[in-house]
Amino acid sequence: MHKVENLKIWDKSIELVKKVYSLVSELPKDEKFGLTSQIKRSSVSIPSNIAEGAGRNSQKEFKHFMSIANGSAYELQTQLIMVVELNLIDKEKVQPIIDLCIEVQKMNYSFQKSLIKTELNTQY
């Protein structure tokens, strides 16, 4: 088990959620049950899955939840690109959040690799 508050990726994903919530407040009201809702859910899924994985009993389970978190990060990135492509919010406002999302994806990949190494080292 890991203390989630000590994980940099968890902190960074919380930062991402705050920026996403601020951004989606600019979406049209008729997107409340469409993209707005979906974007919020995928962003919240990232730190939530990191936290759930941190509370599990094995590195293998933790890695599984990190994988789910990464899927949510890619889902979020796609939805943010859609916001730009649909001309709902200017690219200049969305791009920094996409960049942060990509940073979280890279951190996740590196963290998963470290979990695999730790798991291999404890097996032998």
Side-chain angles (χ1 to χ4, degrees):
M1 290 176 48
H2 295 264
K3 192 167 184 176
V4 72
E5 298 87 0
N6 294 339
L7 297 174
K8 290 178 185 175
I9 187 170
W10 184 78
D11 284 337
K12 189 65 73 171
S13 64
I14 294 289
E15 177 186 338
L16 178 61
V17 171
K18 290 192 269 185
K19 290 182 184 290
V20 162
Y21 266 68
S22 178
L23 179 76
V24 297
S25 69
E26 298 181 33
L27 285 169
K29 296 293 181 217
D30 65 344
E31 283 298 331
K32 181 177 181 181
F33 300 108
L35 272 174
T36 301
S37 176
Q38 189 64 33
I39 290 169
K40 285 180 174 182
R41 281 195 310 266
S42 61
S43 71
V44 167
S45 177
I46 301 166
S48 297
N49 276 290
I50 293 168
E52 186 167 354
R56 294 297 174 137
N57 296 324
S58 72
Q59 297 290 66
K60 184 177 179 181
E61 286 180 293
F62 195 3
K63 184 178 172 289
H64 172 74
F65 281 94
M66 292 301 297
S67 178
I68 294 170
N70 210 35
S72 295
Y74 275 90
E75 180 182 1
L76 175 60
Q77 180 183 355
T78 299
Q79 293 158 353
L80 293 172
I81 291 168
M82 283 186 223
V83 165
V84 172
E85 293 293 319
L86 293 169
N87 296 312
L88 297 173
I89 301 178
D90 293 333
K91 185 175 183 172
E92 296 76 32
K93 288 185 176 182
V94 178
Q95 191 60 52
I97 299 172
I98 291 173
D99 293 342
L100 181 57
C101 188
I102 292 169
E103 182 181 351
V104 167
Q105 292 164 1
K106 289 177 182 177
M107 289 175 76
N108 189 319
Y109 178 73
S110 294
F111 190 67
Q112 284 187 60
K113 280 177 46 177
S114 75
L115 289 174
I116 291 169
K117 287 179 185 175
T118 302
E119 188 176 2
L120 289 174
N121 288 337
T122 58
Q123 288 179 357
Y124 300 102

